[in-house]
Amino acid sequence: MTYQLVCCGNPNDISTWSNIPYYILHAASKKGSLVAGPSLDPSRLLFRRLLWNLSRLIMTGKPGGFQYSKSSVNSLWSQATSQGFSSSQNLQFLSHFPLLPPYPYPENWKVSFYIDATNKQLFENYQTGHRLSRLLKKDVFARERNAYMSAAAVITMSKWAAQSVINDYQIPSDRVHIVPAGANFNCSVLNPSDINLTLPAPTHALPLKLGFLGKDWQRKGGPFVVQLASYLNSIGIPAIVRVVGPSLSDLPISPLIQYVGFIDKHTEHSKFIREISSWHFGTLFSLFEAYGISNVECFRLAVPVLTHDVGGISSTFTGDECGKLFSAHPSVETVCNYISYLMSDYESYLLMRERLALNSLNFEWQKSVARICDILYS
């Protein structure tokens, strides 16, 4: 029996949930071991959301959290029922949202999960829990724990998330698995020439490129990366920051920033590949981060990354060829000393890119989905 992918939206829509369900299905399409489940539309619950938020504001002073409420998940899942997903059927689901399908499940359903973080981690680290009442959070955690306890498997993207499932939700460790995610772009059309292994050493005419990839400039450490570029220039290493993703209005005015803007990886695939491949280093110095897909996208293109050990970031790394994983919140000087060391022996830096290229297939969703399916069908 084939597993069906569930998420809080349409799994076939590339805009759903940071593209992850779409690329999972794209990777699984050849084997047929995982297909799209119900197409759910949270926007159809807008009126219900407004009423719920108002009632919560009056009752608790905390208007947020509708998407985690029983009212929300039950109403959302009624859309699946109307699409023919019946409790009388023998069904298998892989869910990318811990509260869907709503617990409890029919006895003839088999449900597993693939998540980047638990709700407890999201509420505490992403500060999404401050608008939820204490009673609502308690209810969410209880339903989430029941879902994990009833699941055939709980698969996480990182060791960080797995530890939360085990320690915060008391799920036996033998039912918790770690499968790092793949790069969120179409790797099947990559050519060997897309991998840039002969990047020239930095000069004033062609400075070292530190790349920033992501929408949230502040949370993902953009200001720190500008500090790195400034320090590098002060010690004689010409450097700039190439910025892909954020709104221009979120960025400071700095001669060290080269704003690329948003690149649609689906419709501007070649532009995305050329840009990332031109960087000397990707960067990710997030204040908090469940995983770090941008790291994996750099690795697939043989671009090493400078980052730190926060949240689930460490699970993106597979070896020294990936770049440098610093302890959490390193100093500017510590990071720049590492860069200076590599630039002083540029052949070693190029060798790092070559070693990363040899392992680049490990960062595709094909690899991740194969491991997920091995767990689901074992």
Side-chain angles (χ1 to χ4, degrees), residues 243-256:
V243 180
V244 177
S247 169
L248 181 59
S249 62
D250 292 336
L251 306 184
I253 297 174
S254 170
L256 301 177

Side-chain angles (χ1 to χ4, degrees), residues 34-46:
L34 181 64
V35 298
S39 175
L40 307 178
D41 184 1
S43 68
R44 290 169 54 186
L45 307 182
L46 177 60

